[in-house]
Amino acid sequence: MSFVMSQASLPVFEIGLNALSAVLEKAEAHAAAKKIDPSVLLNSRLSPDMFALTRQVQIASDQAKNGSARLAGVEAPHYEDNETTIDQLKARIAKTVAYLKTLDPKQIDASADREITFPLGPTNKGHMKGDDYLNHFVLPNFYFHITVAYAILRHCGIDIGKRDFLGGIPIKMT
Amino acid sequence: MSFVMSQASLPVFEIGLNALSAVLEKAEAHAAAKKIDPSVLLNSRLSPDMFALTRQVQIASDQAKNGSARLAGVEAPHYEDNETTIDQLKARIAKTVAYLKTLDPKQIDASADREITFPLGPTNKGHMKGDDYLNHFVLPNFYFHITVAYAILRHCGIDIGKRDFLGGIPIKMT
């Protein structure tokens, strides 16, 4: 009957990121079949003042990596944000998932009452209790960016559905 | 140091739904200022085969209501999905938040190991452990639909930002 913070974070990020990687792979196949330059997809956005697909993927990766590291009380590696191809974005996602596997779930479980401090824009800092930081900042931000990445590709006509978004979740269907 | 399922669900839904209601209110004010028929916004979608704004809001409400009720082991009320105005959608959201407050958090906390059975489309059923159902089905679906609702409005030019999406989260800024 236990419910711990590591299970509400690490596998959630891993499944969501792997689903995002698979969706990017479908986008790549679509672009090849329709002779679309993949960079058109990577530079697509839902409104002029929202980030394009590449940046949505980078931020989703950062939310998972930095959020989990802060909860575990360790310093996350810095990624350069220099991806310009779908293959490079898939490699970034794989690197993020591999990093998550290096974290100690017990350290994340122990962070519920610890104050987490994190950058908010270039000059401000946010402060939240560990459990609030996971429930009300990292998870909503992570889901925001993977959903927008998915929605950009739906908007561009890629043939993907809700199951592609959910990914490899532990479900039994009858 | 405790982390329980009710805190990863009830306040998450309440904050997310209230944020969605506030975003709809901004959309209403925008429509009035620009003399746009609000039903144009309610019928907007990000791709021809995705649901329009009204349905995104209804599904977000249902995910919160039905997901929480299933975890608490009670029968959720059925809502009619007959909203045609922004005011009616805001009322639907308020009704959903009021319903969430009637649920017993302890029953949700006790559901981690219980198998949850739920409809998947018109004929199939899904089966998941309670903790997996929350982490890998209800939360991703809830966030998917509130993010798409928000993204539809950004796409339509409503002046909203990430803070509107996150809503009234327990954060201290310095």
Side-chain angles (χ1 to χ4, degrees):
Chain A
M1 213 83 97
S2 72
F3 187 69
V4 292
M5 286 180 61
S6 58
Q7 87 185 108
S9 51
L10 298 176
V12 168
F13 299 139
E14 185 172 342
I15 291 172
L17 288 169
N18 284 335
L20 181 59
S21 190
V23 160
L24 288 170
E25 204 160 302
K26 288 199 175 185
E28 195 164 34
H30 175 95
K34 301 275 182 187
K35 303 199 192 312
I36 295 167
D37 179 346
S39 72
V40 173
L41 301 177
L42 293 176
N43 292 308
S44 287
R45 54 189 86 215
L46 294 175
S47 102
D49 61 350
M50 285 180 86
F51 288 125
L53 177 58
T54 296
R55 190 83 194 103
Q56 301 290 348
V57 175
Q58 290 165 341
I59 300 178
S61 150
D62 278 350
Q63 286 292 338
K65 166 176 70 73
N66 299 341
S68 302
R70 286 189 191 112
L71 290 170
V74 299
E75 186 82 20
H78 176 70
Y79 295 165
E80 282 300 328
D81 295 334
N82 53 5
E83 293 84 4
T84 57
T85 68
I86 289 180
D87 267 356
Q88 288 170 3
L89 285 177
K90 283 167 55 191
R92 159 89 173 238
I93 290 172
K95 191 168 62 167
T96 309
V97 170
Y99 174 69
L100 295 177
K101 288 182 193 295
T102 68
L103 295 172
D104 180 357
K106 290 209 174 357
Q107 285 179 250
I108 293 178
D109 296 342
S111 69
D113 291 329
R114 188 156 50 77
E115 183 179 279
I116 309 287
T117 297
F118 53 101
L120 276 181
T123 53
N124 293 327
K125 286 190 189 310
H127 308 269
M128 298 177 82
K129 268 182 71 215
D131 50 5
D132 287 337
Y133 177 62
L134 176 60
N135 284 328
H136 301 298
F137 193 87
V138 183
L139 286 172
N141 272 296
F142 175 74
Y143 278 123
F144 180 91
H145 293 287
I146 62 172
T147 302
V148 171
Y150 169 97
I152 289 171
L153 290 171
R154 278 292 284 270
H155 184 68
C156 289
I158 315 300
D159 186 21
I160 47 178
K162 181 63 82 62
R163 274 201 218 178
D164 296 294
F165 173 78
L166 290 176
I169 63 174
I171 190 170
K172 205 178 71 189
M173 281 181 60
T174 57
Chain B
M1 214 84 95
S2 71
F3 187 68
V4 292
M5 287 180 61
S6 59
Q7 87 184 108
S9 51
L10 298 176
V12 168
F13 299 139
E14 184 172 341
I15 290 172
L17 288 168
N18 284 335
L20 181 59
S21 189
V23 160
L24 289 170
E25 205 161 299
K26 287 198 176 185
E28 196 165 34
H30 175 95
K34 301 274 184 188
K35 301 198 192 314
I36 296 168
D37 180 347
S39 72
V40 174
L41 301 177
L42 294 176
N43 291 309
S44 288
R45 53 189 87 215
L46 293 177
S47 102
D49 61 350
M50 286 180 85
F51 288 126
L53 177 58
T54 296
R55 190 82 194 105
Q56 301 288 351
V57 174
Q58 290 165 341
I59 299 177
S61 151
D62 277 353
Q63 286 291 339
K65 165 176 71 71
N66 299 341
S68 302
R70 286 189 190 111
L71 290 169
V74 299
E75 185 82 21
H78 176 71
Y79 295 164
E80 283 300 329
D81 294 334
N82 55 5
E83 293 85 3
T84 57
T85 67
I86 289 180
D87 266 357
Q88 287 169 4
L89 285 177
K90 283 167 56 190
R92 159 89 172 239
I93 290 172
K95 191 167 63 167
T96 308
V97 170
Y99 174 70
L100 295 177
K101 288 180 192 295
T102 69
L103 295 172
D104 180 356
K106 289 206 173 0
Q107 285 179 251
I108 293 179
D109 295 343
S111 69
D113 291 330
R114 188 155 51 77
E115 184 178 280
I116 309 286
T117 297
F118 53 100
L120 276 181
T123 53
N124 294 327
K125 285 189 191 307
H127 309 269
M128 299 176 81
K129 269 182 69 214
D131 50 6
D132 287 336
Y133 176 62
L134 176 60
N135 285 327
H136 301 299
F137 194 87
V138 183
L139 286 173
N141 272 296
F142 176 73
Y143 278 123
F144 180 92
H145 293 286
I146 61 171
T147 302
V148 171
Y150 169 96
I152 289 170
L153 291 171
R154 277 293 284 271
H155 185 67
C156 288
I158 314 301
D159 184 21
I160 47 179
K162 181 63 81 63
R163 273 201 218 177
D164 295 294
F165 174 78
L166 290 175
I169 62 173
I171 190 171
K172 204 178 72 189
M173 279 179 64
T174 56

